[in-house]
Amino acid sequence: MCAICELKIEFNIGHPQALTVAVATREAMDTGVLPETQAEGALSNMKLRLAAIDALKGLQDRLEAAVPTTQLMALPDFYVLLIEIGTWGFFHATETGFDPDIQPEPPDVTSENQADRDVVFVSSEATMQAIMNGKLNIDTAFDDNLLILDASETHTKLLRSVLDRAFPVERGRAVNF
């Protein structure tokens, strides 16, 4: 699986686009586009964390299955932030898939210059699961700010190409696998 980041407490900075994604996610839940997040009781944070890890593993599996290793290796390293409880994943492609043992540094998410910032997807676990389950197409997720990619134009094109193969859209609808 990808590296699920257990980064230092000072890394709990989130991402400048996290609020935008949170507002869009709330609106999508209120209108029934996304299901409500269901985690209650004493173990709610643990349940949310496990759901986020499952979403990151699912993303990894879909990306690795969608394209040959050579295309994965051409991708930039990237982070994924799932906003519910601030779960970060780090994706670094190798010849055998994404490296599960890498220990990344906290990403740079605030530099003025895009080239100095790390590549980051910001989303919610609910959005990721809906995309993976074919209930939400990836283009709609991007259009509605349920999924934001903070990356240069070149990296955005590379990553969108792989995402489009991993999550194909047919006549405006997500293809359910």
Side-chain angles (χ1 to χ4, degrees), residues 120 140 155 168:
V120 179
T140 300
H155 289 151

Side-chain angles (χ1 to χ4, degrees), residues 117-157:
R117 287 198 307 266
D118 286 298
V119 176
V120 179
F121 284 96
V122 182
S123 187
S124 68
E125 180 270 329
T127 295
M128 282 294 196
Q129 290 295 355
I131 291 168
M132 285 187 281
N133 294 335
K135 296 180 184 199
L136 176 67
N137 88 44
I138 197 150
D139 291 333
T140 300
F142 276 111
D143 291 345
D144 293 347
N145 288 325
L146 296 168
L147 176 59
I148 291 177
L149 174 55
D150 181 11
S152 69
E153 186 177 336
T154 301
H155 289 151
T156 296
K157 285 180 183 177

Side-chain angles (χ1 to χ4, degrees), residues 20-99:
T20 300
V21 171
V23 169
T25 300
R26 179 75 263 155
E27 289 173 1
M29 288 177 176
D30 290 347
T31 60
V33 172
L34 291 176
E36 285 285 337
T37 302
Q38 300 292 322
E40 298 175 7
L43 300 177
S44 64
N45 278 348
M46 184 181 73
K47 291 176 186 175
L48 289 171
R49 173 88 168 157
L50 292 174
I53 291 169
D54 285 344
L56 291 169
K57 287 179 184 177
L59 175 62
Q60 174 199 343
D61 291 344
R62 289 290 285 271
L63 293 176
E64 288 177 346
V67 296
T69 303
T70 54
Q71 278 189 295
L72 278 181
M73 299 273 302
L75 294 177
D77 291 349
F78 63 93
Y79 292 85
V80 177
L81 169 60
L82 299 180
I83 62 171
E84 286 87 350
I85 60 169
T87 301
W88 287 84
F90 181 71
F91 290 75
H92 171 78
T94 68
E95 292 178 356
T96 59
F98 290 107
D99 186 349

